[in-house]
């Protein structure tokens, strides 16, 4: 059976609600499949683990927008937009220089230093839920925690959170073609102007935060340009924030719908790190990675021509039975778990350690505080964000007590 560009299932409503049957069919029948995005450009999707993993480290693929076809340029706004000069849109050596400046904030040692105040923040959020019979965990916890953590790490005033959350929603929803180009450009412009205002603020009032590090790299070390500081800030606000929301809320949902796995964690809390990784594999928040072939490349026997877009379907790879035993089973004891949830290679999520730390602190804290928590709707009634770019719940309504 051949999947044509016109009727590719990747952008349908049924796919959003349950993408995994589509992924299974693509892996078995068309592991390299040509698809037309709702934004008007074609891409070649990879659905098998080994192909996706290879593509993430393949030097024949480029992330640099200057190499992208016209349709991608038209959708993203091109290289002149400040928000597009970010870590996901450049190749080495520029990527190496830019990432080195950011990486020091997200080392294992530095993230360990954050854990104390992250735990305090989790407790405050849970205190705010006490006494309420029902809450939506997406908004009361899943969004609030990573947004507040990111503000503190980057040195952003908490009072600005609602504004850039609104702008980020516009960008994320554009992934399904659900917003107009004008709306997308407005969100990009607003975020760019906001990032520029942060640079001005940190010049006047530096602190122990990532924005101050970036401004120093701009003003004193001459390592970054102002455009790159704006792009990096934009990238961290989007990628770090949305990925962690997805991990937290999907992790909560999975344990609410798999009580036997929850009991394993109650009996053996040492399993929590494995459980977080398994949540990242089983419901990966990041759905698609995009790159451009610099030359003809072949995956699973099919050749993608030079100049065309390669789309790695991370969620499909993370459920590939060719790599994982019982791939469609959520198993918190799974130790052989080299998932692709944070990507791989030089473009692996720079904030992965921070995201994992938040989940490893937050998830057990929620269930320890509210041991009788349960969904107030049937699992099949839960709704997901209408885009293949992110796998993120729109709501997670729960009853906190018996």
């Amino acid at each position: 059976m051949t999947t044509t560009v016109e009727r590719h299932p990747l952008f349908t409503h049924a796919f959003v609600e349950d993408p995994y049957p589509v992924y299974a069919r693509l892996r078995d029948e068309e592991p390299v499949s040509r698809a037309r995005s709702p934004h008007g450009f074609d891409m070649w999707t990879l659905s098998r683990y080994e192909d996706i993993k290879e593509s993430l480290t393949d030097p024949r693929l480029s992330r640099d927008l200057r190499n992208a076809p016209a349709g991608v340029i038209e959708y993203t706004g091109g290289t002149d937009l400040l928000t597009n000069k970010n870590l996901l849109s450049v190749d080495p050596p520029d990527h190496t220089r830019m990432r080195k400046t950011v990486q020091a904030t997200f080392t294992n040692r530095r993230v360990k230093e954050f854990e104390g105040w992250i735990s305090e923040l989790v407790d405050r959020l849970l205190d705010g839920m006490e006494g309420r019979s029902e809450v939506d965990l997406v908004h009361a916890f899943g969004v609030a925690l990573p947004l507040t953590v990111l503000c503190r790490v980057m040195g952003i005033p908490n009072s600005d959170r609602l504004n850039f959350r609104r702008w980020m929603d516009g960008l994320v929803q554009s992934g399904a073609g659900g917003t107009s180009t004008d709306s997308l450009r407005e969100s990009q412009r607003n975020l760019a102007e906001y990032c520029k205002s942060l640079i001005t603020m940190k010049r006047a009032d530096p602190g122990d935060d990532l924005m101050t590090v970036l401004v120093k790299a701009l003003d004193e070390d001459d390592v970054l340009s102002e455009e790159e500081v704006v792009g990096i800030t934009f990238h961290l606000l989007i990628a770090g924030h949305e990925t962690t929301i997805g991990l937290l809320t999907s992790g909560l949902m999975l344990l609410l719908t798999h009580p036997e796995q929850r009991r394993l964690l109650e009996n053996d809390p040492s399993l929590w790190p494995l459980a977080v990784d398994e949540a990242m594999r089983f419901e990966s928040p990041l759905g698609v990675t995009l790159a451009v072939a610099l030359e003809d490349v072949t995956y699973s026997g099919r050749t993608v021509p030079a100049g065309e877009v390669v789309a790695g379907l991370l969620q499909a790879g993370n459920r590939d039975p060719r790599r994982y035993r019982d791939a469609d089973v959520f198993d918190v004891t799974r130790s052989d778990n080299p998932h692709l949830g944070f990507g791989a290679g030089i473009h692996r999520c720079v904030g992965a350690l921070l995201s994992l730390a938040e989940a490893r602190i937050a998830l057990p804290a929620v269930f320890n505080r509210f041991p009788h928590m349960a969904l107030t709707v049937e699992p099949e009634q839960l709704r997901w964000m209408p885009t293949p770019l992110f796998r993120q719940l729109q709501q997670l309504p729960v009853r906190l007590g018996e």
Side-chain angles (χ1 to χ4, degrees), residues 17-18 253 257 375 377-384 393:
E17 295 306 321
D18 185 7
M253 180 274 296
T257 55
L375 285 174
V377 297
E378 295 300 317
E380 57 270 18
Q381 293 177 286
L382 296 172
R383 293 294 173 260
W384 298 86
L393 285 165

Side-chain angles (χ1 to χ4, degrees), residues 326-341:
D326 298 326
D328 287 320
V329 173
F330 177 64
D331 178 6
V332 300
T333 69
R334 190 185 301 273
S335 57
D336 178 23
N337 194 358
H339 64 75
L340 304 172

Side-chain angles (χ1 to χ4, degrees), residues 17 35 46-47 60 80 128 131 192 227 243-244 253 277 286 292 368 401:
E17 295 306 321
L46 310 181
S47 53
R60 300 171 299 172
D80 290 339
E227 292 82 1
T243 300
T244 309
M253 180 274 296
D277 276 333
L286 181 60
V292 179
N368 287 339

